[in-house]
Structure formats: structure tokens, C-alpha cells
């Protein structure tokens, strides 16, 4: 009897910890709750380890990720997989066996807030393996440096160096990649890097080979407004909570973590900040760029007076290499044909929607692929053990677009 009571108490406690009120439209809410409970456990444990002085919380998280998710480069009957380097940056390469003589090519940057994850993770390995087989394409998954050891612009420089090497005649010939069918892509923070690289190389007239397309998966693109409708609507929706995104930005930009509440209140982008011009503000004016069904009842949060000098303290906030949404229209117009995936229940939804709108206004051919029941990170959960329904649909949609446009 006592064991039954104890079991019931433990079960109730576990259910209490796992249960989280979620929007009615989100895909498979219980799967998302379980994911969230797992992630919260890891985050809380890493914070405790950090406070006790054993190691940095990010190191603890990456150790867990490495232990649980990282796998060796193993070839299969359809795809040859090797670990190599691209422009001096560690890269996992997926080459389809057989097929056409010249292959399509995709360089891919993983997500993880510029601080977590790896292209060697099982989820990314399976994604790239599927892309290689389904597209008959060479996929190069880049392991750029991570925070806290590396801060902006280190990750950007790694992504740019790898991309330049990817587009070089030597690499294209070695891997038999068609120079007219190359793509830059990434998800979340990796989507940020892909967008920044597409801007830089699109405007570089010295490049003899340029990307044909860019494919951005729920990208993070700005850090001046943490009160867009999607940030307001989804601030308590897993797996990317609004405070987490502010924390990732501060780590990436090498800034003091004490600025987190300043960013969350939009006190860093107040009207009394002299370094933020009206032109800059117009580039993330969601009241003009988002359709009514995304704006909903939400209102802009613009502080009259804020924390003085934050933009001077953290210049990366205004650097287009870190915040591609702030790029000039002329720069955007030189970037390749674009695919931008967004998810309704994602704080970053409006970053992607605004970027798609700005690309379109600049004359770029854009496909905006919005998943009404999607959440941040869903695509990498397409496989077991989660096997998310929206994850599978989003992955198939992404690969289908590449097949039709690359």
C-alpha cells in the first residue's frame, strides 16, 4: 500500500513538473511538454553547476548534448559521410553515392544560440543525410566555434570562411558540385549566420561563384525589439522562451549577462538612444511589415527613456553581420532567391516574416513557408524518439523547396 501511495505521489509530482499550459493550436502538445521538461531539467542543472563554480553552464549543457546526441561519421549504402574541414573550420560532409555526375551543394549551419549543439548531433546528421540522398546533393554541415569561448564576430567569421572555401573551384571540383546549383542554409542561430553570409557574399564582386539560393529555417535576425507580436504571444511557449533568447544574444555578443532585463524591457532600444536612427527603426517596424493576422491585438513597446549607452557598450546589436534584418535594401537586393520558414508558436516568427518582407521589397524572389502549428526547433525533431508531426512536415517542405529551386 505504501509503495502504491509513494508511486502515486511521484507520478503526480512528475505530471505537475511536465504539464504546461500550451496554445490550443500547437502540434502534439504532450510531446512538446515532455521536450520542455527535459530541456528545463538540463538548463536548471547546468545553472546550479555554474553557480557552484564547477564549470560554465554552457559547457555543462554541451557535455550533455555530446553524450546524448553526438555520433560518429558513419557511411551508409546511399551516402558517404566523413569529418573534414572547410576553410579551416570542422565540417561533416555527406556525399551521395552514384547519381548524376555533378551534384547540387548545400552548406549548412546548425542552430543552438551560437553556443550549443553541433553538426555531429544525431538530429543534424539525420537531416543532412536525408538531404544528401533525397536531393542527390553534397551537404557540408559546419561546426563553427561556440560561445562562451568564441563571441561575435568569431562565429560569423567561421561561417564566412567555410562558405568561401565551399564556393572555391578546388572544393567544387573535388566534390563534383555544380557551381550553378549551390545553397547556403541554416536553422535558428545557423539561419542568422546563413543570412549574414548571403548578404556579404552577394555584395562581393570578387566572387566568381555565388549562391543560387538561401534557405533560412526559423532564423534569429535582430536584437533591438524583444516585444514583437511573436515575442509577446510566445514568451511562455517552449522550447525557446523569451529570456533564453536574450541570454543567447548577450553571450554571442560578449556582453554582460546583467543586461538581460534591459533587453527584455526594450530599454536598450529606447527613443533616447542616439545611435539608433529612424531609418534603423523602420527596418524592424512590424506594424508596417506584418499582416494583420500576425499583429493581432499586440502593441509596440517603445520606451521613451531607457538604459543609456547600451548600444555603445554592445555594438554588435547594430552590426548587420549579427543582425541581418538591419541591412540596407541595396544589400538585400543582391542576395539570392530565398526560402524562409517560420512557425506560429515561436518567439522568432516575426524576425523571419519581416526579413521575408524586406527581401521581397528589395526585389528578391521569396518563398515564405509558415507552419501554423509549429514551434521553435521543430524540424530537428522529425525523427525518433520525438518524431514530431510538424517536424516531419517542415522537413519535407524544406527539402521539397530545395529540390524544386536548387
Amino acid at each position: 500500500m505504501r509503495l502504491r501511495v509513494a508511486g502515486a505521489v511521484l507520478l503526480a509530482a512528475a505530471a505537475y513538473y511536465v504539464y504546461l499550459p500550451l496554445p490550443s493550436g500547437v502540434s502534439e502538445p504532450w510531446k512538446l511538454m515532455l521536450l520542455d521538461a527535459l530541456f528545463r531539467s538540463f538548463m536548471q542543472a547546468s545553472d546550479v553547476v555554474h553557480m557552484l563554480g564547477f564549470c560554465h553552464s554552457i559547457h555543462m549543457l554541451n557535455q550533455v548534448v555530446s553524450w546524448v546526441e553526438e555520433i560518429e561519421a558513419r557511411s551508409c549504402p546511399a551516402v558517404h559521410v566523413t569529418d573534414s574541414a572547410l576553410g579551416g573550420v570542422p565540417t561533416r560532409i555527406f556525399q551521395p553515392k552514384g547519381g548524376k555526375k555533378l551534384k547540387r551543394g548545400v552548406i549548412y549551419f546548425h542552430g543552438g544560440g551560437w553556443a550549443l549543439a553541433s553538426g555531429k548531433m544525431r538530429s543534424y546528421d539525420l537531416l543532412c543525410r536525408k538531404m544528401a540522398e533525397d536531393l542527390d546533393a553534397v551537404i557540408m554541415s559546419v561546426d563553427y566555434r561556440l560561445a562562451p569561448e568564441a563571441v561575435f564576430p568569431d562565429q560569423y567569421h567561421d561561417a564566412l570562411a567555410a562558405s568561401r572555401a565551399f564556393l572555391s573551384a578546388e572544393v567544387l571540383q573535388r566534390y563534383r558540385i555544380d557551381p550553378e546549383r549551390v545553397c547556403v542554409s541554416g536553422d535558428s542561430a545557423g539561419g542568422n549566420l546563413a543570412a549574414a553570409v548571403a548578404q556579404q557574399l552577394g555584395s562581393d564582386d570578387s566572387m566568381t561563384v555565388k549562391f543560387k539560393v538561401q534557405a533560412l529555417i526559423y532564423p534569429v535576425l535582430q536584437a533591438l525589439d524583444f516585444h514583437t507580436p511573436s515575442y509577446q504571444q510566445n514568451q511562455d511557449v517552449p522550447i525557446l522562451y523569451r529570456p533564453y533568447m536574450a541570454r543567447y544574444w548577450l553571450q554571442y555578443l560578449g556582453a554582460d549577462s546583467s543586461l538581460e532585463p534591459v533587453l527584455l524591457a526594450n530599454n536598450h532600444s529606447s527613443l533616447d538612444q542616439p545611435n539608433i536612427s529612424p531609418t534603423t527603426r523602420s527596418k524592424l517596424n512590424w506594424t508596417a511589415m506584418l499582416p494583420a493576422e500576425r499583429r493581432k491585438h499586440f502593441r509596440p513597446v517603445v520606451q521613451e527613456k531607457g538604459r543609456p549607452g547600451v548600444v555603445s557598450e554592445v555594438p554588435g546589436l547594430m552590426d548587420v553581420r549579427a543582425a541581418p534584418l538591419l541591412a540596407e535594401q541595396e544589400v538585400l537586393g543582391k542576395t539570392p532567391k530565398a526560402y524562409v520558414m517560420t512557425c506560429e508558436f515561436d518567439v522568432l516568427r516575426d524576425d523571419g516574416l519581416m526579413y521575408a518582407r524586406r527581401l521581397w521589397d528589395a526585389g528578391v524572389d521569396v518563398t515564405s513557408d509558415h507552419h501554423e502549428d509549429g514551434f521553435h526547433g521543430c524540424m530537428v525533431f522529425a525523427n525518433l524518439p520525438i518524431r514530431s508531426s510538424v517536424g516531419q512536415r517542415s522537413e519535407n517542405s524544406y527539402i521539397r523547396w530545395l529540390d524544386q529551386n536548387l
Side-chain angles (χ1 to χ4, degrees), residues 306-320:
R307 161 78 180 270
V310 176
V311 173
S312 297
E313 281 180 54
V314 192
L317 290 166
M318 295 281 290
D319 194 318
V320 296

Side-chain angles (χ1 to χ4, degrees), residues 218 234 341-346 349 370-371 374-376 378:
Y218 30 79
N234 301 310
M341 181 192 295
T342 52
C343 293
E344 180 62 21
F345 302 107
D346 178 7
R349 180 198 69 191
H370 185 69
H371 293 267
F375 56 90
H376 189 79
C378 62

Side-chain angles (χ1 to χ4, degrees), residues 193-230:
L193 296 173
V197 164
Q199 289 181 10
Q200 176 62 35
L201 297 186
S203 298
D204 188 345
D205 294 333
S206 69
M207 298 293 295
T208 55
V209 176
K210 295 200 175 187
F211 290 113
K212 181 180 180 181
V213 298
Q214 56 182 319
L216 315 177
I217 314 300
Y218 30 79
V220 50
L221 299 165
Q222 60 85 28
L224 291 180
D225 189 357
F226 284 86
H227 286 271
T228 62
S230 61

Side-chain angles (χ1 to χ4, degrees), residues 47-304:
D47 286 343
V48 169
V49 168
H50 185 102
M51 286 189 293
L52 293 175
F54 291 118
C55 69
H56 196 288
S57 59
I58 294 297
H59 295 157
M60 170 71 176
L61 286 171
N62 270 322
Q63 279 295 110
V64 173
V65 168
S66 175
W67 179 63
V68 173
E69 272 274 295
E70 283 194 13
I71 59 175
E72 295 180 359
R74 293 179 180 173
S75 299
C76 64
V79 181
H80 182 60
V81 184
T82 56
D83 285 333
S84 185
L86 198 58
V89 185
T91 302
R92 179 160 290 185
I93 301 174
F94 302 80
Q95 296 172 265
K97 299 177 181 178
K100 298 177 182 178
K101 184 176 181 182
L102 281 181
K103 309 292 184 185
R104 294 182 273 201
V106 179
I107 184 169
Y108 193 91
F109 303 112
H110 67 80
W114 306 282
L116 299 169
S118 164
K120 297 176 182 177
M121 286 172 55
R122 178 178 175 274
S123 50
Y124 285 112
D125 184 279
L126 289 174
L127 169 64
C128 293
R129 199 176 291 264
K130 179 174 174 61
M131 290 167 64
E133 187 171 358
D134 290 359
L135 297 170
D136 191 33
V138 177
I139 314 297
M140 300 197 177
S141 182
V142 178
D143 266 339
Y144 51 88
R145 287 172 289 172
L146 300 174
E149 285 74 22
V151 297
F152 176 79
D154 291 347
Q155 289 89 331
Y156 166 79
H157 284 158
D158 282 359
L160 187 61
S163 297
R164 288 189 184 279
F166 175 71
L167 296 175
S168 68
E170 178 187 353
V171 169
L172 295 175
Q173 290 170 8
R174 183 190 310 161
Y175 294 98
R176 296 183 300 168
I177 299 172
D178 186 340
E180 296 184 358
R181 305 179 76 184
V182 286
C183 166
V184 60
S185 185
D187 67 290
S188 193
N192 168 285
L193 296 173
V197 164
Q199 289 181 10
Q200 176 62 35
L201 297 186
S203 298
D204 188 345
D205 294 333
S206 69
M207 298 293 295
T208 55
V209 176
K210 295 200 175 187
F211 290 113
K212 181 180 180 181
V213 298
Q214 56 182 319
L216 315 177
I217 314 300
Y218 30 79
V220 50
L221 299 165
Q222 60 85 28
L224 291 180
D225 189 357
F226 284 86
H227 286 271
T228 62
S230 61
Y231 266 116
Q232 294 185 57
Q233 172 184 292
N234 301 310
Q235 59 184 318
D236 296 320
V237 177
I239 54 176
L240 183 61
Y241 296 99
R242 194 165 68 102
Y244 288 0
M245 196 62 250
R247 185 186 304 181
Y248 287 139
W249 267 113
L250 292 171
Q251 289 172 343
Y252 180 42
L253 299 178
D256 195 311
S257 61
S258 66
L259 290 174
E260 184 179 317
V262 176
L263 266 62
L264 291 174
N266 275 0
N267 281 332
H268 64 307
S269 56
S270 54
L271 294 177
D272 63 341
Q273 300 286 345
N275 292 338
I276 307 178
S277 68
T279 300
T280 297
R281 293 183 189 278
S282 71
K283 294 171 183 174
L284 40 82
N285 179 13
W286 55 262
T287 63
M289 286 189 281
L290 295 180
E293 63 266 26
R294 305 302 167 206
R295 296 196 306 269
K296 299 179 181 175
H297 61 281
F298 298 106
R299 297 289 182 266
V301 176
V302 182
Q303 309 292 356
E304 291 288 335

